[in-house]
């Protein structure tokens, strides 16, 4: 079971820990060094304020049987990068929670999908300021690839829209629409594992 960042608290349906009196508790992220070793915790928003604190994150890439990638447009109510397109799912493990478990948990919470054949796809470290919000993504990101074998049922508070895209369709959409600052970093880092999953015919 994941270790929540607060004691005597339960998680609400959207994964935000709540205290017993119903007041949301601060969400804590796991701070890491350049080798990905845990060195402490920080409140979520403070970790993203300039210049940013290096913290653990994850990114998920799910594909259908035709080798198309499921991408999502982040809900307009998100405090960070609202309304932009990004990979299938991304987020932060709770302190002490395994990245693999967090990736599966959050994919289900946001999209109503339990990933199939979910596998590790390496890590990537990046520093991406978001020009719109002024927040900074200083992340040590664990990558995962897998299959989406059921239609997504997005939580509208988290996800505004979803679509499956081929490589060519993704390129066109990326040229025409706004994507998250971290999207290309995580996609490029995950490509070897994506190619292994989808095969040469997938075009990734």
């Amino acid at each position: 079971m994941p270790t929540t960042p607060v004691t005597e608290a339960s998680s609400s349906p959207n994964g935000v820990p709540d205290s017993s009196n119903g007041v949301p508790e601060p969400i804590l992220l796991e701070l890491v060094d350049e080798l990905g070793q845990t060195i402490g915790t920080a409140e979520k928003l403070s970790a993203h304020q300039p210049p940013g604190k290096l913290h653990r994150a994850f990114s998920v890439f799910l594909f259908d049987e035709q080798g198309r990638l499921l991408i999502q447009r982040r809900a307009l109510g998100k405090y960070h990068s609202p309304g932009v397109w990004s990979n299938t799912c991304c987020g932060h493990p709770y302190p002490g929670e395994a990245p693999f478990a967090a990736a599966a948990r959050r994919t289900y919470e946001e999209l109503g999908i339990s990933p199939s054949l979910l596998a590790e796809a390496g890590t990537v470290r990046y520093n991406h300021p978001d020009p719109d919000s002024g927040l900074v993504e200083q992340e040590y990101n664990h990558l995962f690839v897998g299959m989406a074998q059921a239609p997504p049922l997005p939580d509208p508070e988290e996800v505004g829209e979803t679509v499956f895209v081929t490589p060519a369709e993704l390129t066109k959409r990326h040229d025409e629409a706004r994507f998250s600052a971290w999207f290309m970093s995580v996609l490029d880092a995950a490509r070897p594992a994506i190619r292994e999953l989808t095969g040469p015919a997938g075009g990734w």
Side-chain angles (χ1 to χ4, degrees):
M1 294 293 291
T3 302
T4 59
V6 292
T7 59
E8 298 182 0
S10 59
S11 291
S12 65
N14 64 2
V16 178
D18 289 339
S19 66
S20 57
N21 62 5
V23 178
E25 296 282 353
I27 297 175
L28 299 183
L29 307 186
E30 197 168 82
L31 301 181
V32 300
D33 62 18
E34 294 291 341
L35 298 177
Q37 301 298 311
T38 303
I39 59 173
T41 60
E43 190 276 326
K44 184 177 180 180
L45 182 58
S46 71
H48 290 89
Q49 291 173 338
K53 299 175 183 177
L54 184 59
H55 58 275
R56 197 177 307 283
F58 64 82
S59 288
V60 178
F61 297 84
L62 297 186
F63 297 81
D64 65 9
E65 297 291 345
Q66 290 74 49
R68 298 179 302 172
L69 170 63
L70 176 61
I71 60 174
Q72 64 155 283
R73 185 172 60 80
R74 294 163 63 85
L76 293 176
K78 302 280 279 188
Y79 81 97
H80 191 344
S81 302
V84 303
W85 288 93
S86 198
N87 49 292
T88 307
C89 180
C90 54
H92 310 94
Y94 294 137
E97 182 182 23
F100 184 95
R105 169 183 60 78
R106 195 62 186 151
T107 301
Y108 184 79
E109 289 172 353
E110 287 193 8
L111 296 163
I113 295 174
S114 296
S116 302
L117 305 176
L118 191 65
E120 296 181 4
T123 60
V124 61
R125 190 261 195 257
Y126 51 76
N127 175 4
H128 287 307
D130 176 37
D132 293 330
S133 67
L135 300 176
V136 177
E137 287 288 9
Q138 285 265 20
E139 293 191 330
Y140 188 93
N141 198 307
H142 297 255
L143 309 172
F144 298 92
V145 301
M147 302 292 293
Q149 296 183 313
L153 298 171
D155 176 354
E157 292 189 3
E158 300 289 342
V159 179
E161 187 178 353
T162 63
V163 65
F164 285 94
V165 292
T166 66
E169 290 167 344
L170 177 61
T171 298
K172 185 175 186 297
R173 188 177 291 264
H174 192 267
D175 289 342
E176 297 174 351
R178 293 175 59 241
F179 273 70
S180 64
W182 62 87
F183 176 74
M184 289 306 302
S185 293
V186 293
L187 176 62
D188 287 343
R191 282 187 194 275
I194 290 172
R195 293 180 183 127
E196 185 174 347
L197 177 70
T198 60
W204 295 99

